[in-house]
């Protein structure tokens, strides 16, 4: 009875019995599936509690039986490529647990339900072995519109462990399952084979042959390849006609071999073990069929393209389906595959055996490698992609051996270097166009040297970059500024305007390249203060409050910034001071200088009350600012007298006068010191003196005779500003000396001072010194005796 029952089950499976899952638009309900020794089936319209299994179809039955099920829009043995989507049942056995998850099955309205004892495809999840336990468990199913026809059936529940009773609607269909040994449901490691070799699928561990005898059904996807019983004398029930010549079923151990593997033989193979029509265990095998690794090459071998072109295609020649997994990398970095559901295709993507680079850019210049991997190794080929671009706009940089910021300016005389760069592939050819059109030889190359630059080197320099591959040309300009500092420093001045009603401030700093920019600081608000180049003038209404207020001229040049300051002041403490200068010819030149007469005041000179008219080739001259009156070849006979000055301007007026007299000494004094004579003297304010002579002569017994100039000896010659002198004298010569001071004006002697006599102290000999000491001692002794006598006399007088 076990053999006939197994044969019936195989016929049902071989004829296409399987699980049909409807793709319902509604959501999927999950139900609990449990095996029991008794299962109840109900007729059409009946309800079977606690299970919603998938649809089942049995198109053919064994002779004598007639069981039909109408399954609309169903397919036989759907092939599941993703086993995570297949519901998993929870079947338990005593003492073991093989599946940790509760079973879930989609509920399909209008389908017919048959018991799970006839076999369905339940692949393992994630290619990991799982186990099934088959105790005497409860199976209860709920079906909608189920039809079961049993007239004339030879399938007797009395002769089999599985008991099925066809009943009217609301009846029960009972299934009795016997406990069997544990047989894990699993998916082994993927199996990879080459085309033409044999696919060997062993069944390990081998199912036990104990009663009831197991039935093994092999499928690829939903297609049954082989089916047969295990054990001695068990029949080989079926081999797939399309693969009969290549198939070999091992009835001893249940394994399957498929010779001369082809690419279409790849897929998921399942081995279903059915025992007594009740328990079912499934093993799954992932089989990959590969061709031998190809000899690869990238076409074109040396691809070249310009930046911005439409596209570049690289083909991995030698690769095809079944020859492994194709991938592309750029400079060793793998290029990620494109998302097929992306909104826009990526710029770099694969299309079959080609790599498409859309609108290439310069960063796509790299080494591209196509690599094919399979379980039997890997192969690769590479090509260098050249992306030509440019030139980009040239960049000119300037450097100088003197200047910190040559981009702003370079100083005259410095050595300047211009460098031009332009991003380009291949490198661009560089040429120059100089600012100086007279320059005949213009060197080519990225570097241009300008030694000792001058004003003629200033101007625009053009760098021309040309790409020899793309033919494109670009041009850039640089304006070179050569700076030359103006000579000297800026000059400031202030003077009175017409009628002394205003003040005119002036600032100038001429010359230089470029011209300096001048601007006043400190002027009253509303007065235009610049900036202007080289020269600046500003007029300010005169007011006493302007006296003492400094005004600064700020002179800016590329090389440096300098300033000058002028302070307008009213005349204050005006004073005339004479000064004498001696020319090389010995003539005296007298200068009268006025102080306390700052700008914008002007000095007006007069002699003896009459205005002085200098110039005209005479001996009187005025300095450029009018504050010095020069009298050349001064004569003591003609040029002495009273001189005055009037200092007046927009801010006030003041004056002073002085009487010029010949060289003379107003007073002097002689002091005696050890071995020297000290002389000090004073002169009048208007005395004109160019120097002093300290004269001396010895005094003899004929002091009363007249003396002449020649009798005096000049000991010292002093400058006109000196007012004292020290004359050393020999101490061994106890002579008497007469001193005087003679002022001079150029080569003309003035009036000498009165003479004073210097008497030296006499020097004592040792004998004289001893006599003086002895006399002193005698005097002291005499004094002591007199004192003694006086005391004695006083005592005697008191006694009386």
């Amino acid at each position: 009875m076990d053999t006939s029952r197994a044969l019936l089950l195989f016929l049902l499976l071989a004829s296409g019995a399987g699980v049909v899952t409807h793709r319902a638009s509604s959501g999927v309900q999950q139900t609990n599936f449990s095996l029991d020794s008794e299962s109840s089936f109900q007729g059409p319209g009946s309800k079977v509690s606690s299970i919603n299994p998938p649809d089942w179809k049995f198109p053919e039955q064994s002779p004598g039986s007639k069981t039909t099920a109408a399954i609309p829009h169903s397919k036989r043995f759907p092939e599941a490529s993703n086993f995570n989507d297949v519901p998993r049942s929870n079947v338990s056995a005593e003492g073991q647990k093989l599946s940790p998850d509760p079973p879930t099955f989609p509920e399909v309205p209008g389908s017919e339900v048959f018991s799970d004892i006839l076999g369905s495809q339940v692949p393992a999840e994630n290619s990991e072995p799982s186990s099934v336990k088959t105790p005497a468990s409860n199976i209860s199913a709920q079906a909608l519109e189920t039809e079961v026809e049993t007239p004339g059936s030879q399938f007797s529940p009395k002769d089999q462990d599985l008991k099925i009773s066809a009943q009217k609607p609301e009846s029960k269909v009972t299934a009795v399952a016997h406990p069997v040994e544990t047989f894990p449901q699993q998916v082994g490691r993927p199996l990879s084979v080459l085309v033409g070799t044999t696919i060997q699928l062993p069944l390990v561990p081998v199912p036990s042959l104990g009663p009831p005898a197991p039935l093994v059904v092999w499928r690829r996807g939903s297609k049954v390849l082989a089916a047969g019983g295990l054990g001695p004398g068990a029949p080989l029930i079926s081999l797939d006609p399309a693969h009969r010549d290549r198939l070999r079923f091992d009835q001893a151990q249940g394994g399957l071999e498929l010779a001369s593997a082809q690419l279409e033989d790849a897929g998921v193979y399942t081995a279903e073990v059915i025992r007594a029509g009740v328990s079912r265990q499934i093993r799954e095998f992932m089989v990959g069929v590969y061709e031998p690794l190809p000899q690869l090459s990238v076409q074109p071998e040396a691809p070249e393209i310009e930046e911005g072109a439409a596209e570049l295609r690289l083909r991995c020649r030698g690769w095809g389906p079944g020859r492994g997994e194709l991938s592309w990398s750029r400079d060793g970095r793998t290029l990620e595959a494109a998302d097929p559901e992306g909104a826009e295709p990526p710029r770099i993507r694969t299309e079959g055996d080609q790599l498409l680079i859309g609108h290439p850019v310069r960063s796509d210049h790299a080494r591209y490698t196509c690599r094919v991997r399979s379980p039997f190794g890997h192969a690769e080929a590479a090509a260098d992609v050249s992306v030509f671009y440019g030139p980009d706009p040239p960049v000119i940089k300037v450097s100088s051996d003197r200047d910190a910021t040559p981009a702003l300016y370079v100083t005259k005389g410095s050595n300047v270097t211009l460098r031009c760069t332009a991003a380009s592939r291949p490198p661009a050819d560089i040429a120059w166009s100089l600012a100086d059109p007279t320059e005949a030889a213009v060197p080519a190359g990225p570097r241009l040297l300008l030694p000792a630059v001058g004003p003629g080197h200033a101007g625009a320099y053009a760098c021309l970059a040309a790409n020899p591959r793309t033919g494109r040309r670009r041009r850039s300009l640089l304006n070179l500024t050569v700076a030359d500092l103006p000579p000297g420093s800026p000059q400031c001045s202030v003077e009175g305007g017409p009628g002394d009603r205003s003040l005119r401030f002036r600032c100038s700093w001429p010359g230089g390249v470029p011209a300096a920019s001048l601007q006043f600081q400190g002027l009253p608000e509303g007065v235009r203060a610049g900036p202007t180049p080289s020269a600046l003038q500003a007029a300010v209404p005169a007011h006493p409050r302007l006296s003492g207020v400094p005004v600064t001229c700020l002179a800016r040049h590329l090389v440096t910034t300098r300033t000058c300051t002028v302070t307008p002041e009213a005349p204050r403490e005006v004073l005339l001071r004479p000064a004498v200068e001696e020319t090389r010819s010995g003539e005296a030149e007298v200068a009268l200088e006025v102080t306390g007469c700052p700008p914008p005041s002007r000095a007006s000179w007069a002699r003896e009350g009459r205005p002085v008219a200098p110039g005209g080739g005479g001996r009187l001259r005025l300095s450029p600012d009018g504050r010095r009156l020069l009298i050349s070849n001064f004569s003591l006979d003609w040029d002495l007298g009273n001189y005055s000055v009037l200092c007046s301007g927009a801010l006030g007026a003041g004056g002073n006068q002085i009487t010029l007299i010949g060289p003379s000494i107003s007073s002097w004094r002689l002091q005696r010191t050890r071995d020297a004579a000290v002389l000090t003297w004073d002169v009048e304010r208007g005395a004109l003196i160019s120097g002093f002579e300290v004269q001396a002569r010895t005094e003899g017994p004929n002091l009363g005779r007249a003396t002449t100039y020649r009798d005096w000896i000049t000991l010292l010659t002093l400058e006109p500003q000196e007012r004292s002198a020290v004359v050393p004298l020999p101490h061994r010569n106890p002579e008497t000396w007469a001193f005087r001071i003679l002022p001079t004006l150029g080569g003309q002697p003035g009036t000498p001072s009165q003479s004073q006599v210097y008497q030296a102290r006499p020097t004592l000999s040792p004998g004289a010194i001893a006599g003086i000491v002895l006399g002193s001692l005698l005097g002291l002794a005499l004094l002591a005796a007199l004192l003694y006598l006086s005391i004695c006399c006083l005592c005697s007088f008191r006694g009386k």
Side-chain angles (χ1 to χ4, degrees), residues 569-593:
E569 292 184 273
R572 182 174 54 186
E573 297 181 1
V574 179
L575 181 64
L576 281 176
R577 292 181 179 178
V580 178
E581 298 178 0
E582 188 172 349
T583 63
R584 293 182 180 179
S585 61
E587 297 179 351
E589 184 178 70
V590 176
L592 292 178
E593 183 175 3

Side-chain angles (χ1 to χ4, degrees), residues 263-612:
L263 293 177
E264 55 268 19
D265 293 335
V268 179
Y269 288 74
T270 60
E272 185 174 8
V273 180
I274 303 174
R275 191 181 301 276
V278 176
S279 62
R280 184 187 63 190
Q281 297 82 27
I282 296 178
R283 290 191 184 183
E284 296 181 352
F285 300 84
M286 291 291 297
V287 177
V289 181
Y290 299 88
E291 291 186 358
L293 287 173
Q295 185 70 27
L296 301 179
S297 66
V298 177
Q299 298 293 331
E301 295 180 355
E304 295 179 350
I305 197 169
E306 292 186 15
E307 185 178 43
E311 65 178 26
L312 172 65
R313 288 181 179 268
L314 302 178
R315 180 186 176 191
C316 189
R317 187 172 183 178
W319 176 83
R323 295 189 175 182
E325 179 184 359
L326 173 64
S327 64
W328 290 86
S329 62
R330 179 173 65 186
D331 287 339
R333 295 184 178 181
T334 302
L335 296 173
E336 300 295 336
D339 183 6
E341 298 181 358
E344 296 183 0
R347 191 177 62 85
I348 301 179
R349 61 187 183 273
T350 57
E351 294 182 356
D353 62 348
Q354 295 184 356
L355 179 67
L356 173 62
I357 304 176
H359 302 288
V361 296
R362 63 191 62 183
S363 60
D364 295 330
H365 182 95
R367 183 175 181 86
Y368 289 81
T369 303
C370 73
R371 179 185 295 260
V372 174
R373 288 183 178 273
S374 77
F376 302 97
H378 70 276
E380 64 181 30
D384 293 323
V385 174
S386 298
V387 180
F388 301 118
Y389 64 90
D392 290 349
V395 177
I396 304 176
K397 294 184 178 180
V398 57
S399 60
S400 171
D401 60 347
R402 294 185 184 178
D403 308 295
T405 56
L408 299 178
Y409 69 90
V410 294
T411 55
K412 179 182 177 182
S414 61
N415 298 319
V416 178
T417 301
L418 302 181
R419 290 180 175 85
C420 180
T421 58
S424 174
R425 183 180 293 120
D429 297 329
I430 303 297
W432 294 91
S433 175
L434 302 189
D436 187 1
T438 62
E439 185 68 39
V442 179
R447 191 171 72 114
L448 180 63
L449 178 62
L450 304 176
V453 295
H457 290 91
Y461 288 77
C463 172
L464 307 176
N467 188 318
R469 177 66 168 75
T470 64
R472 296 189 180 94
R473 298 166 60 90
R474 302 297 292 269
R475 180 173 179 265
S476 293
L477 291 176
L478 171 72
N479 286 316
L480 183 65
T481 301
V482 180
D484 187 13
L485 190 66
S489 299
Q491 301 296 321
C492 294
S493 64
V494 60
E495 61 183 19
D500 289 335
R501 293 190 297 271
S502 63
L503 297 179
R504 290 182 178 178
F505 293 89
R506 286 188 172 90
C507 179
S508 64
W509 198 17
V513 178
S517 175
L518 309 180
Q519 184 176 6
F520 278 125
Q521 293 179 341
L523 293 180
E525 295 183 3
V527 178
R528 184 178 178 274
T532 58
S534 299
L536 176 62
Q537 177 176 329
V540 180
H543 195 280
R545 288 181 298 181
L546 294 175
S547 178
V549 177
V551 175
T552 300
C553 176
L554 186 64
R556 293 187 178 94
H557 191 265
L558 287 178
V559 178
T560 187
T561 299
R562 296 180 179 177
T563 61
C564 62
T565 302
V566 61
T567 302
E569 292 184 273
R572 182 174 54 186
E573 297 181 1
V574 179
L575 181 64
L576 281 176
R577 292 181 179 178
V580 178
E581 298 178 0
E582 188 172 349
T583 63
R584 293 182 180 179
S585 61
E587 297 179 351
E589 184 178 70
V590 176
L592 292 178
E593 183 175 3
V594 60
T595 60
C597 187
S601 300
R602 299 181 300 276
S604 301
W605 298 87
R607 179 186 177 188
E608 303 296 344
R610 294 189 298 271
V612 174

Side-chain angles (χ1 to χ4, degrees), residues 84-282:
N84 294 328
D85 299 333
V86 178
R88 291 164 36 179
S89 62
N90 185 12
V91 184
S92 60
E94 294 180 1
Q96 300 183 13
K97 183 176 183 182
L98 303 179
S99 178
D101 299 329
T104 60
F105 291 90
E107 179 181 353
V108 183
S111 63
E112 297 182 358
V113 179
F114 195 72
S115 173
D116 193 29
I117 61 175
L118 295 181
S120 64
Q121 185 172 330
V122 186
E125 185 176 8
N126 295 334
S127 299
E128 296 179 359
S130 60
S131 58
V132 178
K133 300 169 69 175
T134 59
S137 56
N138 296 326
I139 301 177
S140 58
Q142 176 179 356
L144 300 178
E145 300 178 2
T146 303
E147 296 181 3
V148 180
E149 299 181 6
T150 59
S153 174
Q154 302 296 327
F155 198 93
S156 176
K158 298 180 180 179
D159 301 330
Q160 303 182 30
D161 296 330
L162 176 63
K163 299 178 181 180
I164 302 176
S165 60
Q167 301 181 11
K168 63 180 180 179
E170 305 297 329
S171 65
K172 294 183 179 180
V173 179
T174 305
V176 179
H178 296 278
V180 296
E181 62 178 311
T182 299
F183 188 66
Q185 171 184 326
Q186 64 183 18
V187 175
R189 297 181 60 185
L191 176 65
S192 301
V193 298
L194 289 175
V195 171
T197 60
T198 300
I199 301 175
Q200 297 179 351
L201 303 176
L203 205 58
V204 179
V206 177
S208 63
L209 302 180
L215 175 68
V216 178
V217 180
W218 282 94
R219 297 185 182 88
R220 185 179 68 234
S222 61
K223 184 177 182 62
V224 176
L225 298 179
L230 296 186
L236 176 61
I237 301 174
S238 174
L239 286 178
D240 181 29
H243 303 83
R244 182 182 299 275
D245 297 338
R246 297 191 295 131
L247 283 173
R248 178 180 175 275
F249 177 67
D250 184 4
Q251 290 188 265
Q253 297 184 352
L256 182 69
E257 292 184 0
L258 182 61
S260 300
Q262 302 174 6
L263 293 177
E264 55 268 19
D265 293 335
V268 179
Y269 288 74
T270 60
E272 185 174 8
V273 180
I274 303 174
R275 191 181 301 276
V278 176
S279 62
R280 184 187 63 190
Q281 297 82 27
I282 296 178

Side-chain angles (χ1 to χ4, degrees), residues 228 331 382 514 690 692:
D331 287 339
S690 62
F692 296 98

Side-chain angles (χ1 to χ4, degrees), residues 721-732:
Q721 67 271 14
E722 299 290 343
R723 294 295 183 268
S724 64
V726 177
V727 180
L729 296 175
H731 62 277
R732 293 185 180 181

